[in-house]
Amino acid sequence: MQFFFMNVNFDQINEVDYWIGKRNFAPIFYGQSTIRQILEDDGHNLKPLALKDAKSFLETMTDKRDCLIVSIGNEYIYFFSQNGDLVELEDYKGEIVKGCVIEIVKKVKIKDTPLILASIKANRYLSSGTFKPLSLDKNFGNIKAIEYVLSQ
């Protein structure tokens, strides 16, 4: 199983609790760019790093990989997996929402998780993007903490 970390921020505000917790939907925004434009790298106005993150999310959800995604809200950490096809939703605050329905595997209070997991956003690489893979060579402690929390 592959692990990913996902930030759900809109205008620099954490919206994990709204999208993941209430709507059971994993979104990315990126303005008026469509799924097709991002995947085909044609007709969007995204900068290279934004395009890389958006494309990584869309390709992962298109391939329906066996993966677990972790997102941190204001009070909870959500562990979830894909449970639907990629779609584009209605306009949200001037942006096209791209994403998929998810299934929450586990929801845990941040204070009840190992510190290395609760502080995952302190990692500049992970906190500065939207969707990042976690690897054993770079994120060993985070992955072990995820496995520990899921086994409880």
Side-chain angles (χ1 to χ4, degrees):
M1 175 176 292
Q2 190 169 6
F3 297 104
F4 291 88
F5 180 72
M6 183 173 187
N7 284 305
V8 182
N9 297 328
F10 191 87
D11 282 340
Q12 300 179 347
I13 296 172
N14 182 332
E15 293 200 3
V16 169
D17 295 315
Y18 172 70
W19 286 99
I20 305 299
K22 289 188 174 120
R23 292 193 67 172
N24 282 358
F25 192 84
I28 61 171
F29 305 102
Y30 296 103
Q32 291 297 314
S33 300
T34 65
I35 291 171
R36 184 201 60 76
Q37 288 173 324
I38 293 168
L39 288 174
E40 295 177 7
D41 195 6
D42 180 42
H44 61 78
N45 62 348
L46 302 179
K47 293 181 180 175
L49 291 176
L51 177 63
K52 184 178 177 183
D53 272 5
K55 197 177 247 191
S56 174
F57 174 79
L58 295 174
E59 287 173 348
T60 299
M61 297 303 129
T62 298
D63 293 345
K64 295 187 167 104
R65 296 181 195 166
D66 182 27
C67 65
L68 183 80
I69 305 165
V70 178
S71 287
I72 299 180
N74 294 314
E75 186 179 354
Y76 292 96
I77 296 181
Y78 299 86
F79 304 85
F80 58 94
S81 59
Q82 182 177 6
N83 194 25
D85 293 329
L86 277 173
V87 295
E88 291 175 354
L89 295 182
E90 73 282 350
D91 187 67
Y92 179 73
K93 299 180 182 179
E95 302 208 16
I96 297 172
V97 179
K98 298 151 281 288
C100 61
V101 172
I102 55 140
E103 176 181 345
I104 296 176
V105 175
K106 195 161 194 171
K107 173 181 163 183
V108 181
K109 286 190 174 195
I110 295 170
K111 67 179 187 158
D112 295 334
T113 63
L115 181 59
I116 193 165
L117 186 56
S119 62
I120 196 169
K121 287 185 170 190
N123 179 318
R124 180 75 173 114
Y125 170 75
L126 296 175
S127 67
S128 66
T130 299
F131 188 74
K132 302 288 188 182
L134 299 175
S135 64
L136 279 173
D137 61 324
K138 292 182 181 173
N139 312 102
F140 180 81
N142 297 120
I143 290 173
K144 291 303 174 188
I146 291 167
E147 291 171 344
Y148 170 78
V149 169
L150 293 175
S151 72
Q152 298 299 300

